[in-house]
Amino acid sequence: MKKQLVPESSSSRFDLLSEEIVFIILDFLNENPLDKKSFSRVSRSFYAIESRHRKFLKPLRSEHLTKILNRYRFVSTLDLSMCPRITDASLGVISGRCKEMLRSINLSRSKFFSHVGLTNLVMNCGNLVEIDLSNATELKDSAAAAIAGAKNLERLCLARCKSITDIGIGCIAVGCRKLRLLSLKWCLGVADLGVGLIAVKCKEIRSLDLSYLPITSKSLSQILQLQQLEDLVLEGCFGIDDDSLAALKLGCKSLQTLDMSSCQNVSHVGLSSLNSLAECLQQLNLSYGSRVDRALADSLQNLSMLHSVKLDGCQVTCSGLKAIGNWCVSLKELSLSKCMGVTDEGLSSVVTKHKDMKQLDITCCRKITHLSLANITNSCTSLVSLKMESCTSVSAEAFVLIGQRCQFLEELDVTDNEIDDDAGITDSSILAIACGCPGLEMINIAYCEFISDRSLKSLSKCSKLNTLESRGCPLITSSGLAAIAVGCKQLFKLDIKKCRNVDDAGMIPLAHFSQNLKQINLSYSSVTDVGLLSLASISCLQSITILHLEGLTPSGLVAALLACGGLIKVKLHASFKSLLPPLLFEHLDARGCTFQWRAKTFQAELDPKCWKLQLADAE
C-alpha cells in the first residue's frame, strides 16, 4: 500500500493524496509557470511536495539563490540566464547546495565569476552533463582548464568566449571525452589546432558549431571523419571553399544538418560534393552565399532526405526556383528572406509542388502579388509559420485567404504591408486570420496603419498568443490592448512603439492579467509615470524600452525602475542620464540591470520605410 501524507490538523481532502499522485498532477502544470506557485499554496503538504517535485529552476535575482536552493533541494537543471551578476561566491553556494544532483547549468548571460568559481562547481557537481558559458568574453584558458575537470560533460556552449584559445580547447578535448555538443561560435582565438584536437579526442560529437572561426580545410577534413556527427555549423567560415568540401566524399555519412551560410567561397561545384550525403542530409542553410540558379539547384537534386532549405539574402533566379520545385523531395521549410529575384512564377512553381510545407519565409520579396499568396494558401494548408514582411505588392484582400485556408498557423509576420502608401492590410484581414487560426502564438502587424482595436479584440480570442508586435499602428488604443491583456494571458513580448493612443489605461490591465510579460516597448506612446509604475506588479518583466514618453518624469522613472525588481535591460533616451541619481545606477548595476542609451531626437528618427526604397533601387 502506498504511503499517504499525514493530514494536518486543519487539513483538506487534498492532503489524503499520496505523493506519487500529487507528482503526476504537477507534471501537467507546465504551461503556465504561475500554476505551480498557486498549487503550492493549497496546503502545507502541497508546499512541501512541490519543492521536492521541482527539477528546473530559473531565478530572476541572484541574491535569492541561497533561499531558493534551500527550499528546492532536488534541482537538476539551473538556468541563471536572467541573473547577470553571478560571482565565484554564487557558484560556491550552488555547488554546496546542489552537489551531485545538478546536471545542467546555464550561465549564458552571467558575469563576474572566474576559473576559481568554475573549478569549485566542477569539483562538487560531478554529474554535470551540460554547461552554457555563452557571452563570457572575459574567461580565458584557465577557465577552459577548469571545465576540463567535468569528465561527464556532454554539452558545452562557449559562444563568444573570445579570449579562449587553442590551448584551452585542447584541455577540454583531453578532459571531456564524452562531449556530444560543442559550440565555439565566435571563439576567434580558436583555429585549426584546437578544432583538430576536438576531432581527434572527442569521438562522440554529434553537434558542432564552428561559426566565424578562422579554420581551413585542414581541420574540416578531420571534423568530417567523425562518425557520429549529425549537426555541423560553418557559418561565416571564409576559409572554407569548394576544395574543402571534397572531404565530404570520404566520410561523415551521419550528417543531418549543415549550415554554410555566409560561406561566399563555395559554389555549385563544391556543393555537388553533398551528394555523398544523399541518404542522411535533412537540413541545409546556404543563406548569403552563391547565386541560386539552375546549376546550383541541380547540384542538390539528389539529396533525397532534404526537407529544409534556407537561401536568405541570395540572388535567386526563376529557373533556380523552378528547379527546386522539381526536386523529388518534399520540402517542409523554405526560407527566401530578402532574396532578390523572387517572382510569382518562381515561387508558385515551388509551393504548388511542395504541398507539405510547414514553414515559409518570403520577407521582403516585393515582386510577388496576390497570385503567390493564393497558391501558397491553396497548396500549403499545413503551414505553421508564414513570414511575409514588406510584401508590398500583395493586395489586402489576399490576406483573408490565410485565415480561410491555414488553420494550423502559429506564427505570422505581415509587417508593413501597404501598397504604395495606399490601403494595406486591414481589420477584415486580421479578423479572418484570428478566427481561422485559433492556435496563433505570434503575430507581427507593425506599421500596418489601417489596423485598429477591432483587430486586437479579435486576436484576444487566440489564447495561446505570446508575442504581439504592433508598433506604428496609430489607430490602436488602450481599449484594444486591454482586450489582449484579458484574453492572452501567456503574452511575454509586447511592442506598442508609436501607438500614440495607448496610455495609462492600457497599462493597468497588463499589470493585472499579463503576469508572464517579459519584454515591452512603450516608446512614443502616451504612457506616463502612473502607467509605468503599475507594471512593477509584473515580476517576470525583464526588458523595457521607453524612448520619447512625453508624460515621463525623472522622479516617476526612478520609482518605476526601483519597483520593477526583475529588470535586466532598460533602454532610455540619453537626456535622462544626467537627471537620474548616481546611486540609482549603482543599485541597479548590483542587481544585474544594464542600461542602453539612445540620443536620437524625435524629429530625426529614421522613417522605417527608407530601407525599402534602397532595396527597390538595388533591384
Side-chain angles (χ1 to χ4, degrees):
M1 181 179 295
K2 295 175 182 176
K3 182 179 179 181
Q4 293 184 324
L5 297 175
V6 179
E8 300 155 5
S9 56
S10 57
S11 65
S12 67
R13 293 180 184 273
F14 290 121
D15 295 320
L16 300 176
L17 298 173
S18 69
E19 183 170 297
E20 183 180 356
I21 292 175
V22 179
F23 273 20
I24 293 173
I25 295 172
L26 285 167
D27 287 338
F28 285 93
L29 300 181
N30 290 322
E31 190 168 316
N32 188 333
L34 296 178
D35 289 344
K36 288 185 178 180
K37 187 174 182 180
S38 299
F39 182 92
S40 66
R41 292 174 175 173
V42 171
S43 67
R44 290 182 180 178
S45 60
F46 274 26
Y47 182 86
I49 293 175
E50 192 271 335
S51 68
R52 293 193 290 273
H53 175 270
R54 191 181 289 262
K55 299 295 187 291
F56 173 85
L57 273 181
K58 190 174 183 178
L60 300 178
R61 305 277 291 274
S62 57
E63 57 264 38
H64 299 320
L65 268 177
T66 301
K67 181 179 178 181
I68 293 172
L69 294 176
N70 280 338
R71 178 183 174 191
Y72 298 106
R73 295 181 176 275
F74 297 93
V75 169
S76 58
T77 301
L78 187 58
D79 185 345
L80 298 172
S81 58
M82 295 296 106
C83 299
R85 184 171 288 273
I86 296 294
T87 64
D88 288 338
S90 304
L91 294 180
V93 170
I94 293 168
S95 60
R97 297 295 193 283
C98 298
K99 295 185 179 179
E100 301 297 324
M101 290 296 301
L102 192 64
R103 293 179 58 81
S104 173
I105 186 167
N106 186 341
L107 295 162
S108 62
R109 296 188 181 277
S110 306
K111 297 181 179 179
F112 306 104
F113 62 87
S114 67
H115 68 283
V116 177
L118 289 175
T119 300
N120 195 5
L121 182 72
V122 167
M123 287 180 60
N124 288 283
C125 304
N127 289 325
L128 270 174
V129 296
E130 180 175 20
I131 300 177
D132 190 341
L133 294 171
S134 302
N135 307 302
T137 55
E138 302 302 318
L139 292 183
K140 301 185 184 300
D141 289 336
S142 55
I147 296 168
K151 304 299 183 183
N152 293 314
L153 203 61
E154 297 178 3
R155 297 180 294 278
L156 175 62
C157 186
L158 297 174
R160 287 172 292 280
C161 291
K162 298 180 181 180
S163 298
I164 292 179
T165 71
D166 287 331
I167 296 174
I169 297 303
C171 294
I172 291 173
V174 172
C176 305
R177 301 292 186 95
K178 296 182 180 180
L179 273 180
R180 297 187 173 206
L181 180 150
L182 176 62
S183 175
L184 298 175
K185 183 176 183 178
W186 283 112
C187 291
L188 301 181
V190 179
D192 282 332
L193 176 60
V195 173
L197 286 170
I198 291 291
V200 171
K201 299 294 184 180
C202 304
K203 297 295 187 181
E204 296 184 29
I205 288 281
R206 264 84 165 167
S207 178
L208 185 60
D209 189 344
L210 304 175
S211 300
Y212 300 100
L213 264 60
I215 59 172
T216 66
S217 57
K218 180 179 179 180
S219 58
L220 182 61
S221 60
Q222 295 174 296
I223 288 297
L224 293 176
Q225 293 178 30
L226 290 168
Q227 296 303 306
Q228 300 184 60
L229 187 63
E230 298 175 353
D231 180 6
L232 178 60
V233 183
L234 299 172
E235 178 182 0
C237 292
F238 299 111
I240 303 301
D241 55 20
D242 289 340
D243 293 336
S244 304
L245 295 181
L248 284 167
K249 299 177 181 179
L250 304 177
C252 208
K253 303 301 182 183
S254 58
L255 197 63
Q256 298 177 15
T257 302
L258 178 61
D259 185 344
M260 291 194 299
S261 54
S262 299
C263 289
Q264 298 180 0
N265 295 320
V266 174
S267 69
H268 70 277
V269 176
L271 292 176
S272 63
S273 300
L274 298 182
N275 287 318
S276 62
L277 308 176
E279 297 181 0
C280 59
L281 193 63
Q282 299 175 18
Q283 301 179 52
L284 179 61
N285 191 339
L286 300 175
S287 299
Y288 301 98
S290 298
R291 184 169 180 261
V292 181
D293 53 17
R294 181 164 184 172
L296 187 142
D298 286 345
S299 70
L300 304 173
Q301 64 179 341
N302 294 325
L303 300 176
S304 58
M305 299 297 291
L306 198 63
H307 64 71
S308 173
V309 176
K310 295 183 179 181
L311 303 169
D312 301 343
C314 294
Q315 175 68 44
V316 175
T317 67
C318 187
S319 60
L321 287 178
K322 285 184 176 180
I324 291 174
N326 290 327
W327 286 353
C328 60
V329 300
S330 182
L331 289 179
K332 300 291 193 304
E333 179 181 10
L334 177 63
S335 186
L336 299 170
S337 175
K338 301 179 182 177
C339 287
M340 295 183 184
V342 178
T343 62
D344 284 335
E345 183 182 3
L347 183 58
S348 296
S349 67
V350 174
V351 297
T352 53
K353 300 289 182 62
H354 298 279
K355 296 187 176 183
D356 293 330
M357 193 86 68
K358 292 186 179 298
Q359 296 175 273
L360 179 62
D361 190 344
I362 47 176
T363 296
C364 300
C365 294
R366 303 181 68 241
K367 293 181 178 180
I368 65 170
T369 68
H370 68 282
L371 180 61
S372 285
L373 190 54
N375 283 322
I376 290 169
T377 56
N378 187 52
S379 300
C380 307
T381 56
S382 298
L383 271 180
V384 173
S385 174
L386 177 60
K387 298 180 180 179
M388 47 186 306
E389 173 186 349
S390 296
C391 294
T392 51
S393 297
V394 179
S395 61
E397 295 77 15
F399 288 96
V400 174
L401 298 174
I402 298 174
Q404 293 176 347
R405 298 173 178 174
C406 302
Q407 60 178 319
F408 302 109
L409 202 65
E410 297 175 2
E411 180 180 20
L412 178 64
D413 187 346
V414 290
T415 301
D416 193 19
N417 275 291
E418 292 182 15
I419 303 177
D420 297 327
D421 295 323
D422 199 353
I425 191 169
T426 63
D427 287 333
S428 298
S429 303
I430 299 299
L431 180 60
I433 291 168
C435 292
C437 310
L440 202 63
E441 297 180 8
M442 177 274 178
I443 187 167
N444 192 333
I445 52 177
Y447 300 110
C448 294
E449 297 182 357
F450 298 95
I451 286 178
S452 71
D453 287 342
R454 286 185 59 206
S455 290
L456 265 59
K457 289 175 181 177
S458 64
L459 289 170
S460 68
K461 305 297 190 296
C462 300
S463 59
K464 294 183 179 180
L465 193 70
N466 57 52
T467 301
L468 173 62
E469 300 192 43
S470 58
R471 66 166 62 189
C473 296
L475 301 181
I476 288 178
T477 72
S478 295
S479 176
L481 189 58
I484 290 290
V486 174
C488 307
K489 294 184 175 61
Q490 295 186 35
L491 193 71
F492 69 76
K493 181 179 180 181
L494 177 65
D495 187 343
I496 51 173
K497 178 181 178 180
K498 288 192 173 181
C499 295
R500 295 186 177 90
N501 289 316
V502 173
D503 55 20
D504 295 340
M507 298 298 102
I508 307 303
L510 279 179
H512 184 71
F513 294 104
S514 301
Q515 288 299 308
N516 291 313
L517 192 64
K518 295 182 179 180
Q519 181 177 337
I520 188 169
N521 189 339
L522 299 172
S523 301
Y524 298 90
S525 68
S526 297
V527 176
T528 70
D529 295 343
V530 176
L532 189 61
L533 188 57
S534 70
L535 298 180
S537 64
I538 306 176
S539 60
C540 289
L541 190 61
Q542 298 164 356
S543 174
I544 188 167
T545 301
I546 34 181
L547 302 173
H548 297 293
L549 292 188
E550 294 181 359
L552 184 63
T553 66
S555 58
L557 178 58
V558 170
L561 293 177
L562 290 174
C564 295
L567 286 177
I568 61 173
K569 184 171 74 171
V570 178
K571 188 179 292 187
L572 283 171
H573 194 272
S575 60
F576 276 103
K577 195 169 186 179
S578 61
L579 301 176
L580 302 179
L583 287 177
L584 174 71
F585 296 120
E586 293 178 14
H587 176 75
L588 294 178
D589 180 65
R591 288 194 334 203
C593 181
T594 59
F595 284 83
Q596 294 181 2
W597 302 98
R598 296 293 181 267
K600 288 182 179 179
T601 62
F602 185 88
Q603 292 80 6
E605 193 198 17
L606 182 67
D607 185 336
K609 298 175 186 176
C610 282
W611 65 270
K612 290 198 306 174
L613 300 177
Q614 297 171 359
L615 181 61
D617 292 340
E619 293 181 327

